[in-house]
Amino acid sequence: MAIDISKKVLIITLLIFTVLTASFTFTHNMQLSNFLELERADTFENVERVQNAVATEQSYLDYIVQNWACWDDTYQFIEDKNPEYIRVDLQNQTLSGINVNVMIFVNNSGKVVYVKSVNTSTAEEAPVPRKLLAMIEDGSLLTEGENDSISGFVLLDEDPMFIACHPILTTKYEGPSRGTLIFGRYFDDALLESFKKVTRSSLLMYRADEEMPQDFQNKIKNFSQNSDNIVVDPLNKNQIAGYFGLKDIKGDIALILRADFPRELYLHGERTLNYMYFFLLLTGLMTGVGVKFVLDKLFISRLVEVDDFVTRVRSEKDLSQRLSLEDNDELYRLSREINGMLNEIYLAEQELKAQAREKKVLLDSLNELAVFVDTELKIIWANKAALEYMNMGLEKAIGVCLKVAPGISGPLVEHLNLEEIFTTGEKKSGEYTAQDGRVWFAQAIPVPDEQGKIIGILQTCRDVTEKKEAERLLHEKQIAEIANRTKSEFLANMSHELRTPLNSIIGFSDLLYEKVYGELNEKQARAVGNISRSGKHLLNLINDILDLSKVEAGKMELDYKEFELAGKLNAIKSLLSPIADRKNIEIDIEVDKGLTHIRADEARFVQIMYNLMDNAIKFSHENGLVKVRAERKGDLVEITVKDKGIGIKEEDQCKLFKPFSQVDSFSSKTFQGTGLGLSLVKQIVNLHGGEVWFNSKIGEGSTFAFTVPIDGNNN
């Protein structure tokens, strides 16, 4: 039966046209999506202009209240309530001129000193909003210090109001603060109209405490989570809207504004794309018709002649016939190749056999087990690895049921329901652990014939024990690294957060102890001194934690410089002398004559020596001796700190260089310490490229020693 190739060309032409149509449609939709994005971006910019206009109004009010609050006349007015200040500076026209509706002066005790409310349009006095006075009574509008300020909105019964509060200071911005100056301006319809003119947009505003349209209610959830969000949504085919929220002074959403804009950009782009889309479709249709006609005329009639010849040769089995076509083109060369193909059939058959042998060699070279079974699960073929696993040859293995095959039945059958595959036609795979502890990955793939009927299953099995072990170790390593990094970051962050209030506690307790604010009795002075000492001890602990966290996080960097060794050791001795004198302990320092200067991080070197010498003094007996010796050891300087104190038990010595560890509970209570000193010493010495060691006997004292390079970091 002759092939109707003309119909096939028609189908191909229609397929090409369909693909082009799909491509055009996809491109059309993608470009339309781009126009949507452009429209959204343009709307974002327009809404940001509205936001900037509102922010400018708030900034102006913040600026005005700061100028009035930081003025010597205002500073004096809070004290003496000077009538001249009211007459000259607090006229109705003054507030109207600076666009301020409400001005309230409040002293440090929270009492209202003076209040004025005007209509900025008429410059006439107006009632003071009761809610503002109530918020002054509960402290919501009062500043708490010289650097404190309040800015935002307040939802009043009349209208929303811009609020700006500033502490009352001198013209030089110096304190102490004598109270709070409060400025307010109504966010009324007139101000909203001015925003519309400035931004050239249509604006709607609703309060969060009142009923609002559904589209505003749907957007308020977005602003509750992030008030800086701008939400853009099309209102209809011709308009698009941008929503944004404004906070009150407590940080909650107070107002929601909507700016409406025409969708000119999107509608113009949509029309242009539609014209292009239909033009391309028409062009594709006309091109397809022309191509179909040309193909029928020039190629298909000659292809039919080739088809007739091949059919005739196959039916007559006469290989002596030859095909001859006119024109020296691709079809002519095809006919020549057909003639030559008849002579190459035998060679092709031989080549196929060679390829089959190559495939067998390739499958046999695989390390994984591969077995092909029929519908009764009898082995038809197995690769070399599977045969070796069964310890038999291919001839012997063929016909053996896989379920009873020696050795291989477990990996390939035990965890896969092979009978179900013949029903479902779906491949199966999975991992399981054998009784000997080995992990296998098994896979069963159905093999259909030409009609789609499953005639067998190709099963493979790979030993993944080592891979699973490697994955487990890698996972455990990653978990450990993440845990360690999280710990270091947590300690560093917490240290910074704790240090700020501690510095304030220490500073104010020292001021009290030094009687800056007045006299203290003996009991009060002793309590304030205890606060200062405990705060400083806690600050030292936090600083040690921060240093240790920096080291563990790999963020500590050394600042190498050259300094005189003997002078630095004597300076540390002078620093510790008051502590040593309380126990009548002598500190003896000995430095080799040829050892004058070393190159290291000077501050960290002092930290190392301070910790070691402080520990030696702390754990020495009364009238004891602490010996410090520095000597050259090749390119290194070795420094030892020796005491004849209480010593360290052998079972406690393993705790010395661990963070937050002290040798026993008695020491923890008797000798104040953080348990971080020696850990930091070891980390800092290691950063310098040196080593730390010690020896100690209980009751005989301890010797701590370390080395660092004399020339430091030469790079």
Side-chain angles (χ1 to χ4, degrees), residues 267-340:
L267 294 175
H268 178 72
E270 185 181 35
R271 285 194 299 271
T272 303
L273 288 175
N274 288 337
Y275 292 149
M276 292 179 59
Y277 178 71
F278 289 115
F279 173 76
L280 290 173
L281 286 182
L282 181 61
T283 302
L285 181 60
M286 295 179 64
T287 302
V289 173
V291 169
K292 173 64 169 62
F293 176 78
V294 172
L295 287 176
D296 283 341
K297 187 70 175 177
L298 299 179
F299 300 105
I300 294 177
S301 60
R302 301 173 71 203
L303 286 173
V304 171
E305 185 179 349
V306 173
D307 176 65
D308 292 340
F309 170 77
V310 173
T311 303
R312 186 171 64 254
V313 170
R314 187 177 63 177
S315 62
E316 297 176 0
K317 298 181 181 179
D318 183 5
L319 300 180
S320 63
Q321 298 185 58
R322 294 294 181 265
L323 176 63
S324 178
L325 293 180
E326 298 178 356
D327 293 333
N328 188 15
D329 57 8
E330 287 80 5
L331 289 178
Y332 169 76
R333 289 191 289 273
L334 175 62
S335 66
R336 189 175 60 188
E337 291 300 322
I338 291 175
N339 293 332

Coordinates of all heavy atoms in Angstrom, one line a residue, residues 267-340:
L267 N -3.1 49.1 28.7 CA -4.0 49.0 27.6 C -3.4 49.2 26.2 O -3.7 48.6 25.2 CB -5.2 50.0 27.8 CG -6.1 49.7 29.1 CD1 -7.1 50.8 29.3 CD2 -6.7 48.3 28.9
H268 N -2.5 50.2 26.2 CA -1.8 50.5 24.9 C -0.9 49.3 24.5 O -0.9 48.8 23.3 CB -0.9 51.7 25.0 CG -0.1 52.0 23.8 ND1 -0.7 52.5 22.6 CD2 1.2 51.9 23.6 CE1 0.3 52.7 21.7 NE2 1.4 52.3 22.3
G269 N -0.2 48.7 25.5 CA 0.6 47.5 25.2 C -0.2 46.3 24.7 O 0.1 45.6 23.8
E270 N -1.4 46.1 25.4 CA -2.3 45.0 25.0 C -2.8 45.2 23.6 O -2.8 44.2 22.8 CB -3.5 45.0 26.0 CG -4.4 43.8 25.8 CD -5.5 43.8 26.7 OE1 -6.0 44.9 27.1 OE2 -5.9 42.7 27.1
R271 N -3.2 46.4 23.2 CA -3.6 46.6 21.8 C -2.5 46.3 20.8 O -2.7 45.6 19.8 CB -4.2 48.0 21.6 CG -5.5 48.3 22.3 CD -6.1 49.6 21.8 NE -5.2 50.7 22.1 CZ -5.3 51.4 23.3 NH1 -6.3 51.1 24.1 NH2 -4.5 52.4 23.5
T272 N -1.3 46.8 21.1 CA -0.2 46.6 20.2 C 0.1 45.1 20.0 O 0.3 44.6 18.9 CB 1.0 47.3 20.7 OG1 0.7 48.7 20.8 CG2 2.2 47.2 19.7
L273 N 0.1 44.4 21.1 CA 0.4 42.9 21.1 C -0.7 42.2 20.3 O -0.3 41.2 19.6 CB 0.5 42.4 22.5 CG 1.8 42.8 23.3 CD1 1.7 42.3 24.7 CD2 3.1 42.2 22.6
N274 N -1.9 42.6 20.5 CA -3.0 41.9 19.7 C -2.8 42.1 18.2 O -3.0 41.1 17.4 CB -4.3 42.4 20.2 CG -4.7 41.9 21.6 OD1 -4.2 40.9 22.0 ND2 -5.6 42.6 22.2
Y275 N -2.5 43.3 17.8 CA -2.2 43.5 16.4 C -1.1 42.6 15.9 O -1.2 42.0 14.8 CB -1.9 45.0 16.1 CG -3.1 45.9 16.4 CD1 -2.9 47.2 16.8 CD2 -4.4 45.5 16.2 CE1 -3.9 48.1 17.1 CE2 -5.5 46.3 16.4 CZ -5.2 47.6 16.9 OH -6.3 48.5 17.1
M276 N 0.0 42.6 16.6 CA 1.2 41.8 16.2 C 0.8 40.3 16.2 O 1.2 39.6 15.3 CB 2.3 42.0 17.2 CG 2.9 43.4 17.1 SD 4.3 43.6 18.2 CE 5.4 42.3 17.7
Y277 N 0.0 39.9 17.2 CA -0.4 38.5 17.3 C -1.1 38.0 16.0 O -0.8 37.0 15.4 CB -1.2 38.3 18.5 CG -1.7 36.8 18.7 CD1 -0.8 35.8 19.1 CD2 -3.0 36.5 18.6 CE1 -1.3 34.5 19.3 CE2 -3.5 35.3 18.8 CZ -2.6 34.3 19.2 OH -3.0 33.0 19.3
F278 N -2.2 38.8 15.6 CA -3.0 38.4 14.5 C -2.2 38.5 13.2 O -2.4 37.7 12.2 CB -4.3 39.2 14.5 CG -5.2 38.8 15.5 CD1 -5.5 39.8 16.5 CD2 -5.8 37.6 15.6 CE1 -6.4 39.4 17.5 CE2 -6.7 37.2 16.6 CZ -7.0 38.2 17.6
F279 N -1.3 39.5 13.1 CA -0.5 39.6 11.9 C 0.4 38.4 11.7 O 0.6 37.9 10.6 CB 0.3 40.9 12.0 CG 1.3 41.1 10.9 CD1 0.9 41.4 9.6 CD2 2.7 40.8 11.1 CE1 1.9 41.5 8.6 CE2 3.6 40.9 10.1 CZ 3.2 41.3 8.8
L280 N 1.1 38.0 12.8 CA 2.0 36.8 12.7 C 1.2 35.5 12.4 O 1.7 34.7 11.6 CB 2.7 36.6 14.1 CG 3.8 37.7 14.4 CD1 4.3 37.6 15.8 CD2 4.9 37.7 13.3
L281 N 0.0 35.4 13.0 CA -0.8 34.2 12.7 C -1.2 34.2 11.2 O -1.1 33.1 10.5 CB -2.1 34.2 13.5 CG -1.9 33.8 15.0 CD1 -3.2 33.8 15.7 CD2 -1.2 32.4 15.1
L282 N -1.6 35.3 10.6 CA -1.9 35.4 9.2 C -0.7 35.1 8.3 O -0.8 34.3 7.4 CB -2.5 36.7 8.9 CG -3.0 37.0 7.4 CD1 -4.1 36.0 7.1 CD2 -3.4 38.4 7.3
T283 N 0.4 35.6 8.7 CA 1.7 35.4 8.0 C 2.0 33.9 8.0 O 2.4 33.3 7.0 CB 2.8 36.2 8.5 OG1 2.4 37.6 8.5 CG2 4.1 36.0 7.8
G284 N 1.9 33.3 9.2 CA 2.2 31.8 9.3 C 1.3 31.0 8.5 O 1.7 30.0 7.9
L285 N 0.0 31.3 8.5 CA -1.0 30.5 7.7 C -0.7 30.6 6.2 O -0.6 29.6 5.5 CB -2.4 31.0 8.0 CG -3.5 30.3 7.3 CD1 -3.5 28.8 7.6 CD2 -4.9 31.0 7.6
M286 N -0.4 31.8 5.7 CA -0.1 31.9 4.3 C 1.2 31.3 3.9 O 1.3 30.6 2.8 CB 0.0 33.4 3.9 CG -1.4 34.2 4.1 SD -1.2 35.9 3.7 CE -0.8 35.9 2.0
T287 N 2.2 31.3 4.8 CA 3.5 30.6 4.5 C 3.3 29.1 4.5 O 3.9 28.4 3.6 CB 4.5 31.0 5.6 OG1 4.7 32.4 5.6 CG2 5.8 30.4 5.4
G288 N 2.5 28.6 5.4 CA 2.2 27.1 5.4 C 1.6 26.6 4.1 O 2.0 25.6 3.6
V289 N 0.6 27.4 3.6 CA -0.1 27.0 2.4 C 0.9 27.0 1.2 O 0.9 26.1 0.4 CB -1.3 27.9 2.1 CG1 -1.9 27.7 0.7 CG2 -2.3 27.8 3.2
G290 N 1.8 28.0 1.1 CA 2.7 28.1 0.1 C 3.7 27.0 0.1 O 4.1 26.4 -0.9
V291 N 4.2 26.7 1.3 CA 5.2 25.6 1.5 C 4.6 24.3 1.1 O 5.3 23.4 0.4 CB 5.7 25.6 2.9 CG1 6.5 24.3 3.2 CG2 6.6 26.8 3.2
K292 N 3.3 24.0 1.5 CA 2.7 22.8 1.1 C 2.6 22.6 -0.4 O 2.9 21.5 -1.0 CB 1.3 22.7 1.7 CG 0.4 21.6 1.3 CD 1.0 20.2 1.8 CE 0.0 19.1 1.6 NZ -0.4 18.9 0.2
F293 N 2.3 23.7 -1.1 CA 2.2 23.6 -2.6 C 3.5 23.3 -3.2 O 3.6 22.4 -4.1 CB 1.6 24.9 -3.1 CG 1.5 25.0 -4.6 CD1 0.5 24.3 -5.3 CD2 2.5 25.7 -5.3 CE1 0.5 24.4 -6.7 CE2 2.4 25.7 -6.7 CZ 1.4 25.1 -7.4
V294 N 4.6 24.0 -2.8 CA 5.9 23.8 -3.3 C 6.4 22.4 -3.1 O 7.0 21.7 -4.0 CB 6.9 24.9 -2.8 CG1 8.3 24.6 -3.2 CG2 6.5 26.2 -3.3
L295 N 6.2 21.9 -1.9 CA 6.7 20.5 -1.5 C 6.0 19.5 -2.4 O 6.6 18.5 -2.9 CB 6.4 20.2 0.0 CG 7.4 21.0 0.9 CD1 7.0 20.7 2.4 CD2 8.8 20.6 0.7
D296 N 4.7 19.6 -2.6 CA 3.9 18.7 -3.4 C 4.5 18.7 -4.8 O 4.6 17.6 -5.5 CB 2.4 19.0 -3.4 CG 1.7 18.6 -2.1 OD1 2.3 17.7 -1.5 OD2 0.7 19.1 -1.8
K297 N 4.8 19.8 -5.3 CA 5.2 20.0 -6.7 C 6.6 19.5 -7.0 O 6.9 18.8 -8.0 CB 5.1 21.4 -7.1 CG 5.3 21.7 -8.6 CD 4.2 21.2 -9.5 CE 4.3 21.5 -10.9 NZ 3.3 21.0 -11.8
L298 N 7.5 19.8 -6.1 CA 8.9 19.5 -6.4 C 9.5 18.3 -5.7 O 10.4 17.7 -6.3 CB 9.8 20.7 -5.9 CG 9.5 22.1 -6.5 CD1 10.4 23.2 -5.9 CD2 9.7 22.0 -8.0
F299 N 8.9 17.8 -4.6 CA 9.5 16.7 -3.9 C 8.6 15.5 -3.7 O 9.0 14.3 -3.8 CB 10.0 17.2 -2.5 CG 11.0 18.3 -2.6 CD1 10.7 19.6 -2.3 CD2 12.3 18.0 -3.0 CE1 11.6 20.6 -2.4 CE2 13.2 19.0 -3.1 CZ 12.9 20.3 -2.8
I300 N 7.4 15.7 -3.4 CA 6.5 14.6 -2.9 C 6.3 13.6 -4.1 O 6.3 12.4 -3.9 CB 5.2 15.1 -2.4 CG1 5.4 15.9 -1.1 CG2 4.2 13.9 -2.1 CD1 4.2 16.5 -0.5
S301 N 6.1 14.1 -5.3 CA 5.8 13.2 -6.5 C 7.1 12.3 -6.7 O 6.9 11.1 -7.0 CB 5.5 14.0 -7.7 OG 6.6 14.9 -8.0
R302 N 8.2 12.8 -6.5 CA 9.4 12.0 -6.7 C 9.7 11.0 -5.5 O 10.2 9.9 -5.7 CB 10.7 12.9 -6.8 CG 10.5 13.9 -8.1 CD 11.6 14.9 -8.1 NE 12.9 14.2 -8.5 CZ 14.1 14.7 -8.2 NH1 14.2 15.9 -7.5 NH2 15.1 14.1 -8.6
L303 N 9.2 11.4 -4.3 CA 9.3 10.5 -3.2 C 8.4 9.3 -3.4 O 8.7 8.2 -2.9 CB 9.0 11.3 -1.9 CG 10.1 12.2 -1.3 CD1 9.6 13.0 -0.1 CD2 11.3 11.4 -1.0
V304 N 7.2 9.6 -4.0 CA 6.3 8.5 -4.2 C 7.0 7.5 -5.2 O 6.8 6.3 -5.0 CB 5.0 9.0 -4.8 CG1 4.1 7.9 -5.3 CG2 4.3 9.9 -3.8
E305 N 7.7 8.0 -6.2 CA 8.4 7.1 -7.1 C 9.4 6.2 -6.4 O 9.6 5.0 -6.6 CB 9.1 7.9 -8.2 CG 9.8 7.0 -9.3 CD 10.4 7.9 -10.3 OE1 10.2 9.1 -10.4 OE2 11.2 7.3 -11.2
V306 N 10.1 6.8 -5.4 CA 11.1 6.0 -4.6 C 10.4 5.0 -3.8 O 10.8 3.8 -3.7 CB 11.9 7.0 -3.7 CG1 12.8 6.2 -2.7 CG2 12.7 7.9 -4.5
D307 N 9.2 5.3 -3.2 CA 8.5 4.4 -2.4 C 8.0 3.2 -3.2 O 8.0 2.0 -2.8 CB 7.3 5.1 -1.8 CG 6.4 4.1 -1.0 OD1 6.9 3.6 0.0 OD2 5.2 4.0 -1.4
D308 N 7.5 3.5 -4.4 CA 7.0 2.4 -5.3 C 8.2 1.4 -5.6 O 8.0 0.2 -5.7 CB 6.4 3.0 -6.6 CG 5.2 3.7 -6.3 OD1 4.5 3.5 -5.3 OD2 4.8 4.6 -7.2
F309 N 9.4 2.0 -5.9 CA 10.5 1.1 -6.2 C 10.9 0.2 -5.1 O 11.1 -1.0 -5.2 CB 11.7 2.0 -6.6 CG 13.0 1.2 -6.8 CD1 13.2 0.4 -7.9 CD2 13.9 1.2 -5.8 CE1 14.4 -0.3 -8.0 CE2 15.1 0.5 -5.9 CZ 15.3 -0.3 -7.0
V310 N 11.0 0.7 -3.9 CA 11.3 -0.1 -2.7 C 10.3 -1.1 -2.4 O 10.6 -2.3 -2.1 CB 11.5 0.8 -1.4 CG1 11.7 0.0 -0.2 CG2 12.6 1.8 -1.6
T311 N 9.0 -0.8 -2.6 CA 7.9 -1.8 -2.4 C 8.0 -2.9 -3.4 O 7.9 -4.1 -3.1 CB 6.6 -1.1 -2.5 OG1 6.5 -0.1 -1.6 CG2 5.4 -2.1 -2.3
R312 N 8.3 -2.6 -4.7 CA 8.4 -3.6 -5.7 C 9.6 -4.5 -5.5 O 9.5 -5.7 -5.7 CB 8.6 -2.9 -7.1 CG 8.5 -3.8 -8.3 CD 8.5 -3.1 -9.6 NE 9.7 -2.3 -9.9 CZ 9.7 -1.0 -9.8 NH1 8.6 -0.3 -9.4 NH2 10.8 -0.3 -10.0
V313 N 10.8 -4.0 -5.1 CA 11.9 -4.8 -4.8 C 11.7 -5.8 -3.7 O 12.1 -6.9 -3.7 CB 13.2 -3.9 -4.5 CG1 14.3 -4.7 -4.0 CG2 13.6 -3.1 -5.8
R314 N 11.0 -5.3 -2.6 CA 10.8 -6.2 -1.5 C 9.8 -7.3 -1.8 O 9.9 -8.4 -1.4 CB 10.2 -5.4 -0.3 CG 10.1 -6.2 1.0 CD 9.6 -5.3 2.1 NE 8.2 -4.8 1.8 CZ 7.6 -4.0 2.7 NH1 8.1 -3.7 3.8 NH2 6.4 -3.6 2.4
S315 N 8.8 -6.9 -2.6 CA 7.8 -8.0 -3.0 C 8.3 -9.0 -4.0 O 8.1 -10.2 -3.9 CB 6.5 -7.3 -3.5 OG 6.8 -6.6 -4.7
E316 N 9.2 -8.5 -5.0 CA 9.7 -9.4 -6.0 C 11.0 -10.0 -5.5 O 11.5 -11.0 -6.1 CB 10.0 -8.6 -7.3 CG 8.7 -8.1 -7.9 CD 8.9 -7.2 -9.1 OE1 10.1 -7.1 -9.5 OE2 8.0 -6.7 -9.7
K317 N 11.7 -9.5 -4.4 CA 12.9 -10.0 -3.9 C 14.0 -10.0 -5.0 O 14.8 -11.0 -5.1 CB 12.8 -11.3 -3.3 CG 11.8 -11.3 -2.1 CD 11.6 -12.6 -1.4 CE 10.7 -12.5 -0.3 NZ 10.4 -13.8 0.4
D318 N 14.0 -9.0 -5.9 CA 14.9 -8.9 -7.0 C 15.9 -7.8 -6.7 O 15.6 -6.6 -6.9 CB 14.2 -8.7 -8.3 CG 15.2 -8.7 -9.5 OD1 16.4 -9.0 -9.3 OD2 14.7 -8.4 -10.6
L319 N 17.1 -8.2 -6.2 CA 18.1 -7.2 -5.8 C 18.8 -6.6 -7.0 O 19.7 -5.7 -6.8 CB 19.0 -7.7 -4.8 CG 18.4 -8.2 -3.5 CD1 19.5 -8.8 -2.5 CD2 17.6 -7.1 -2.8
S320 N 18.5 -7.1 -8.2 CA 19.2 -6.6 -9.4 C 18.6 -5.3 -9.9 O 19.2 -4.6 -10.8 CB 19.2 -7.7 -10.5 OG 17.9 -7.9 -10.9
Q321 N 17.4 -5.0 -9.5 CA 16.8 -3.8 -10.0 C 17.5 -2.6 -9.4 O 18.0 -2.6 -8.3 CB 15.3 -3.8 -9.6 CG 14.5 -4.9 -10.2 CD 13.0 -4.8 -9.8 OE1 12.4 -3.8 -10.2 NE2 12.5 -5.8 -9.2
R322 N 17.5 -1.4 -10.2 CA 18.1 -0.2 -9.7 C 17.1 1.0 -10.0 O 16.4 1.0 -10.9 CB 19.4 0.0 -10.5 CG 20.5 -1.0 -10.2 CD 20.9 -0.9 -8.7 NE 22.0 -1.8 -8.4 CZ 21.8 -3.0 -7.8 NH1 20.5 -3.4 -7.6 NH2 22.8 -3.8 -7.6
L323 N 17.2 1.9 -9.1 CA 16.4 3.1 -9.1 C 17.1 4.2 -9.8 O 18.3 4.5 -9.5 CB 16.0 3.5 -7.7 CG 15.1 4.8 -7.6 CD1 13.8 4.7 -8.3 CD2 14.9 5.2 -6.1
S324 N 16.5 4.9 -10.8 CA 17.1 6.0 -11.5 C 16.2 7.2 -11.5 O 15.0 7.1 -12.0 CB 17.4 5.6 -12.9 OG 18.0 6.6 -13.6
L325 N 16.6 8.3 -10.9 CA 15.9 9.5 -10.8 C 16.6 10.6 -11.6 O 17.9 10.6 -11.6 CB 15.6 10.0 -9.4 CG 14.7 9.1 -8.5 CD1 14.6 9.7 -7.2 CD2 13.3 8.9 -9.2
E326 N 15.9 11.6 -12.1 CA 16.5 12.7 -12.8 C 16.8 13.8 -11.8 O 16.4 13.8 -10.7 CB 15.5 13.2 -13.9 CG 15.2 12.2 -15.0 CD 14.2 12.8 -16.0 OE1 13.8 13.9 -15.8 OE2 13.9 12.1 -17.0
D327 N 17.6 14.8 -12.3 CA 18.1 15.9 -11.5 C 19.2 15.5 -10.5 O 19.0 14.4 -9.9 CB 16.9 16.6 -10.8 CG 16.0 17.3 -11.7 OD1 16.4 17.6 -12.8 OD2 14.8 17.4 -11.3
N328 N 20.2 16.3 -10.4 CA 21.3 16.0 -9.5 C 21.0 16.7 -8.2 O 21.6 17.7 -7.8 CB 22.6 16.5 -10.2 CG 23.8 16.0 -9.3 OD1 23.7 15.1 -8.5 ND2 24.9 16.6 -9.6
D329 N 20.1 16.2 -7.4 CA 19.8 16.8 -6.1 C 19.8 15.7 -5.1 O 20.2 14.6 -5.3 CB 18.4 17.5 -6.2 CG 17.3 16.6 -6.6 OD1 17.6 15.3 -6.7 OD2 16.2 17.1 -6.9
E330 N 19.2 16.1 -3.9 CA 19.2 15.2 -2.7 C 18.5 13.9 -3.0 O 18.9 12.8 -2.6 CB 18.6 15.8 -1.5 CG 19.5 16.9 -0.8 CD 19.5 18.2 -1.5 OE1 18.7 18.3 -2.5 OE2 20.2 19.1 -1.2
L331 N 17.3 14.0 -3.8 CA 16.6 12.7 -4.1 C 17.4 11.8 -5.0 O 17.3 10.6 -4.9 CB 15.2 13.1 -4.7 CG 14.2 13.7 -3.7 CD1 12.9 14.1 -4.4 CD2 13.9 12.8 -2.5
Y332 N 18.1 12.5 -6.0 CA 18.9 11.7 -6.9 C 20.0 10.9 -6.0 O 20.3 9.7 -6.3 CB 19.6 12.6 -7.9 CG 20.7 11.9 -8.7 CD1 20.3 11.0 -9.7 CD2 22.0 12.1 -8.4 CE1 21.3 10.3 -10.4 CE2 23.0 11.5 -9.1 CZ 22.7 10.6 -10.1 OH 23.7 9.9 -10.8
R333 N 20.6 11.6 -5.1 CA 21.6 11.0 -4.3 C 21.0 9.9 -3.4 O 21.6 8.9 -3.1 CB 22.4 12.0 -3.5 CG 23.3 12.9 -4.3 CD 24.2 13.7 -3.5 NE 23.5 14.8 -2.8 CZ 23.3 16.0 -3.3 NH1 23.7 16.2 -4.6 NH2 22.7 16.9 -2.7
L334 N 19.7 10.1 -3.0 CA 19.0 9.1 -2.2 C 18.9 7.8 -3.0 O 19.1 6.7 -2.5 CB 17.7 9.6 -1.8 CG 16.8 8.6 -1.0 CD1 17.4 8.2 0.3 CD2 15.4 9.3 -0.8
S335 N 18.5 8.0 -4.3 CA 18.3 6.8 -5.1 C 19.7 6.0 -5.3 O 19.7 4.8 -5.3 CB 17.8 7.2 -6.5 OG 18.7 8.0 -7.2
R336 N 20.7 6.8 -5.4 CA 22.1 6.2 -5.5 C 22.4 5.4 -4.2 O 23.0 4.3 -4.3 CB 23.1 7.2 -5.8 CG 24.5 6.7 -6.2 CD 25.4 7.8 -6.6 NE 25.5 8.8 -5.5 CZ 26.2 9.9 -5.7 NH1 26.7 10.3 -6.9 NH2 26.3 10.8 -4.7
E337 N 22.1 6.0 -3.1 CA 22.3 5.4 -1.8 C 21.5 4.1 -1.7 O 21.9 3.1 -1.1 CB 22.1 6.3 -0.7 CG 23.1 7.5 -0.6 CD 24.5 7.0 -0.5 OE1 24.7 6.0 0.3 OE2 25.4 7.6 -1.1
I338 N 20.3 4.1 -2.2 CA 19.4 2.9 -2.1 C 20.0 1.8 -2.9 O 20.1 0.6 -2.4 CB 18.0 3.2 -2.6 CG1 17.3 4.2 -1.6 CG2 17.2 2.0 -2.7 CD1 15.9 4.6 -2.1
N339 N 20.5 2.1 -4.0 CA 21.2 1.1 -4.8 C 22.4 0.5 -4.1 O 22.7 -0.7 -4.1 CB 21.6 1.6 -6.2 CG 20.4 2.0 -7.0 OD1 19.4 1.4 -6.9 ND2 20.6 3.0 -7.9
G340 N 23.2 1.4 -3.4 CA 24.3 0.9 -2.7 C 23.9 0.2 -1.4 O 24.7 -0.7 -1.0

